[in-house]
Amino acid sequence: MSASVETTPETRTTGPVRRKPRRKRRPAVLITQIAVAVFVVLGWELCARAGIVDEFFFSKPSDIVSRTIDWFATGSIWEHLQITLVEAALALVIGGLLGLVIGFLLARVEFIAAVFDPYIKVLNALPRVVLAPIFLLWFGLGIWSKVAFGVTLVFFIVFFNTYQGVREVDRVVVDNARMLGAKEGQLVRHVLLPSALTWIFSSLHISVGFAIVGAVVGEYLGASKGVGYLISQAEGTFDTTGVFAGMFVLSAVVLVVDVAVNRVERYLLRWKPSQDNNFGGGQR
Amino acid sequence: MGDDPVARAVELRGVTMAYRARDGDYTAVSDVDLAVDRGRFVSVVGPTGCGKSTVLNAVAGLLPPAAGEVLIEGQPLRGLNRKAGYMFQQDGLLPWKTVLDNVAFGLQLRGTSKSERDELARDWITRVGLAGFEDSYPHQLSGGMRKRTAVAQTWIGDPEMLLMDEPFGALDVQTRQVMENELLTLWTGTEKTVLFVTHDLDEAISLSDEVVLLSAGPASRIVGTYPVDLPRPRNLLDIRTSPEFTEIYRAIWSDLRDEVMKTYERIG
Ligand SMILES: Nc1ncnc2c1ncn2[C@@H]1O[C@H](COP(=O)(O)OP(=O)(O)O)[C@@H](O)[C@H]1O
Ligand SMILES: [Mg+2]
């Protein structure tokens, strides 16, 4: 992380705050991308109409689109979306805060780290999906079982990033701050926290993705509202169109959220040298 | 050098510094005696890896000595040296703070009000020639500009003594001469004590009142202390060609060369 001060002639400076140049997609790539989408969607539609693929199992794009439009036109989708997003947001905030506090504690207090290290490893190794039914039992069918599930996913990401961020903070920066008069509390606020936040923000995509996954999977297993519930309902009645429409809405929402996260990240980490973080969407 | 202990800003008595290593302790410097009078500009030179930074860390209180004692203004040093400003060899700026906030940081830690510290910081930014870059982040600056920011960050707190660890070591020659000149201008008339570390004998002589030579490590010692009686104010561009300079240079270099050769023999 620490940029070394190599021989950079004073003349070779970038002026104050130069914006990172937008990555330009070559038109050939864009055209091909559109062509692929058209080919797949059109192929699917035609095959379904011609009876080459069974509509019962695979539905067809025109039905999926009209179902989606229907959901939005009647407004029936909104309450489901809202529930899912609220669950994801709560999971993100609660899991994030827990991860931040506990990560800080373990990174700063050697004894606690030594004691809890094996437990953290065991918990993290646990496949989280098996927890979902237990949470349903503990927290009921409402939003809190989904939030709890999302928290278990988000917590570990934020925890590990906080731990790493505090641990790997530049020694020289810490010493410099101390020589300038920083006391322990000020050190946390001005040096350790910003360093940890760098790591946390860089993993925000993944955290947000996991929060949404947590909500949807939780709903899928048992709920009375939410996009996951919508999909599981459709599945229960062999309504493939409904399943695909649910997936379609979900992907669109994740995409929109991702763009927003990108914006937030770029703003919060504006002090960082621009590196090429050219992933289109969050990987999960 | 007066023997009056009150006149001494820094005194090291038999200081030995050791690092924990896997195969036992590594003694970086051993039994160093050093006295720096108040208001003097003293340079520590020595081959790379001989323990110059280690000595400075002892004076800063960042690293307690394994043996011996560090006295600051006649008082034994406990914990950090609150009288010292420290310019580190590596970049110590806070990457998430702008130049303005970096420079104002020390004042912020002391609880100075925002308007007051910003005003003072702007003054200092102008003094080190960075006006217009207040809102830039460190990564947007060149190495020289980051050093200027670090100078402002350290000096704004008005410390009684300054510890500078190869501050200009990584800069190109031109920038470096400009910065050396500016440092002298800044220091002249302040009565601040400066302990300046460099591996560049030229730089050490042209800036200092006194040059302290450390031997090659491990367990390096002080080889000698050489007064530099060149008149002040000095013009750094001309000083290097004056006969007095050359004479002092030759005297120290013959000793330094031996130490450098030892370092090379050890490595090679
Ligand atoms: N944190 C450390 N742990 C172990 N050895 C160190 C550490 N810091 C420095 N050293 C060793 O101590 C010696 C002196 O280092 P340093 O004071 O940085 O030298 P200089 O500043 O003169 O180049 C070197 O041999 C270096 O390898
Ligand atoms: Mg050094």
Side-chain angles (χ1 to χ4, degrees):
Chain A
M1 212 180 93
S2 63
S4 59
V5 198
E6 285 311 318
T7 45
T8 319
E10 198 134 1
T11 46
R12 214 175 64 207
T13 60
T14 49
V17 192
R18 184 189 286 171
R19 284 264 128 198
K20 177 166 101 181
R22 273 297 182 105
R23 193 162 44 94
K24 277 210 195 84
R25 215 166 276 197
R26 276 181 299 139
V29 174
L30 188 63
I31 289 168
T32 316
Q33 280 173 338
I34 292 171
V36 169
V38 168
F39 178 77
V40 169
V41 172
L42 219 58
W44 182 1
E45 179 78 29
L46 291 176
C47 288
R49 279 177 195 263
I52 298 170
V53 300
D54 191 337
E55 231 180 281
F56 179 76
F57 291 113
F58 291 96
S59 186
K60 63 177 188 293
S62 55
D63 284 353
I64 296 166
V65 170
S66 73
R67 175 73 64 92
T68 309
I69 290 172
D70 192 45
W71 279 349
F72 281 98
T74 62
S76 66
I77 188 76
W78 291 118
E79 61 168 344
H80 296 293
L81 258 184
Q82 193 199 337
I83 287 285
T84 304
L85 289 178
V86 165
E87 288 163 355
L90 283 171
L92 190 66
V93 169
I94 297 172
L97 284 179
L98 279 178
L100 189 69
V101 169
I102 296 179
F104 237 95
L105 218 59
L106 262 67
R108 291 300 281 171
V109 188
E110 206 68 53
F111 180 75
I112 302 183
V115 170
F116 284 98
D117 180 61
Y119 296 111
I120 297 269
K121 287 209 175 101
V122 166
L123 286 178
N124 187 41
L126 194 73
R128 246 49 63 71
V129 183
V130 303
L131 289 175
I134 296 182
F135 285 160
L136 277 179
L137 223 58
W138 290 353
F139 300 106
L141 290 176
I143 65 167
W144 292 107
S145 54
K146 288 84 193 167
V147 172
F149 184 51
V151 164
T152 63
L153 295 173
V154 172
F155 168 79
F156 283 97
I157 302 167
V158 176
F159 166 78
F160 283 120
N161 279 291
T162 306
Y163 186 77
Q164 200 80 349
V166 173
R167 274 313 183 77
E168 306 221 333
V169 59
D170 199 333
R171 281 272 348 197
V172 182
V173 175
V174 173
D175 284 345
N176 189 26
R178 289 177 63 205
M179 285 308 291
L180 289 170
K183 296 177 194 70
E184 183 67 13
Q186 293 173 315
L187 207 58
V188 167
R189 185 166 144 232
H190 292 288
V191 182
L192 301 178
L193 199 57
S195 172
L197 286 182
T198 318
W199 285 66
I200 294 169
F201 291 146
S202 315
S203 62
L204 205 57
H205 283 279
I206 304 171
S207 301
V208 168
F210 270 140
I212 294 178
V213 165
V216 172
V217 171
E219 289 163 0
Y220 184 84
L221 291 175
S224 53
K225 275 196 191 98
V227 179
Y229 162 79
L230 214 57
I231 294 175
S232 105
Q233 279 303 96
E235 255 175 22
T237 56
F238 301 105
D239 171 16
T240 25
T241 306
V243 175
F244 277 114
M247 281 163 48
F248 180 65
V249 169
L250 205 58
S251 321
V253 167
V254 170
L255 219 61
V256 169
V257 170
D258 226 56
V259 169
V261 168
N262 243 333
R263 285 269 164 86
V264 171
E265 187 188 316
R266 202 175 318 150
Y267 175 74
L268 290 173
L269 297 183
R270 63 193 178 283
W271 55 267
K272 278 196 94 175
S274 57
Q275 74 255 95
D276 265 348
N277 44 354
N278 49 353
F279 34 76
Q283 298 105 327
R284 63 193 69 98
Chain B
M1 218 190 309
D3 262 6
D4 175 15
V6 185
R8 293 218 176 113
V10 180
E11 189 173 352
L12 304 189
R13 284 192 193 147
V15 166
T16 298
M17 305 288 294
Y19 289 105
R20 270 270 139 71
R22 236 167 277 132
D23 43 350
D25 284 2
Y26 176 84
T27 307
V29 297
S30 106
D31 202 18
V32 166
D33 291 309
L34 176 68
V36 180
D37 285 0
R38 202 175 294 154
R40 300 263 285 181
F41 197 124
V42 174
S43 286
V44 178
V45 287
T48 300
C50 71
K52 303 182 294 294
S53 300
T54 306
V55 168
L56 224 49
N57 282 336
V59 177
L62 286 168
L63 209 62
E69 208 175 15
V70 179
L71 301 173
I72 303 298
E73 301 282 353
Q75 300 296 319
L77 179 61
R78 304 258 176 280
L80 289 187
N81 182 351
R82 289 265 152 253
K83 295 202 160 86
Y86 194 162
M87 262 188 81
F88 290 82
Q89 185 170 8
Q90 298 93 353
D91 212 350
L93 297 177
L94 289 84
W96 39 81
K97 284 190 189 290
T98 59
V99 168
L100 182 68
D101 290 343
N102 258 297
V103 173
F105 185 45
L107 300 178
Q108 184 183 11
L109 294 172
R110 287 183 201 172
T112 312
S113 76
K114 173 135 182 73
S115 57
E116 202 177 323
R117 66 177 191 248
D118 279 0
E119 194 186 318
L120 207 55
R122 277 178 209 284
D123 272 1
W124 269 99
I125 288 169
T126 310
R127 271 175 93 165
V128 298
L130 282 181
F133 289 92
E134 289 85 353
D135 297 325
S136 299
Y137 288 96
H139 83 266
Q140 296 168 314
L141 306 176
S142 69
M145 294 163 87
R146 282 203 292 272
K147 282 297 173 195
R148 287 165 188 273
T149 312
V151 168
Q153 188 185 54
T154 313
W155 284 68
I156 196 172
D158 197 24
E160 285 171 40
M161 61 184 74
L162 283 146
L163 314 175
M164 306 180 84
D165 194 355
E166 306 198 24
F168 313 135
L171 304 179
D172 59 293
V173 181
Q174 292 87 338
T175 310
R176 182 180 187 146
Q177 288 204 341
V178 172
M179 299 276 297
E180 285 168 7
N181 241 330
E182 289 178 7
L183 173 64
L184 272 195
T185 314
L186 216 53
W187 172 72
T188 304
T190 59
E191 321 235 308
K192 289 185 196 301
T193 312
V194 179
L195 199 54
F196 189 95
V197 161
T198 176
H199 58 252
D200 181 348
L201 189 51
D202 239 29
E203 184 175 64
I205 298 172
S206 46
L207 294 176
S208 324
D209 298 317
E210 194 176 315
V211 174
V212 176
L213 179 57
L214 273 183
S215 75
S220 56
R221 301 159 167 277
I222 290 183
V223 174
T225 305
Y226 311 81
V228 179
D229 299 323
L230 300 171
R232 291 189 191 272
R234 297 175 186 171
N235 180 346
L236 292 188
L237 299 180
D238 300 338
I239 199 171
R240 288 177 167 117
T241 50
S242 76
E244 295 94 334
F245 182 95
T246 325
E247 196 178 314
I248 297 168
Y249 188 96
R250 201 172 298 137
I252 306 178
W253 174 243
S254 67
D255 290 348
L256 177 58
R257 189 182 47 202
D258 295 343
E259 298 306 325
V260 172
M261 289 320 287
K262 273 187 221 156
T263 305
Y264 275 122
E265 277 159 23
R266 197 164 47 79
I267 295 168

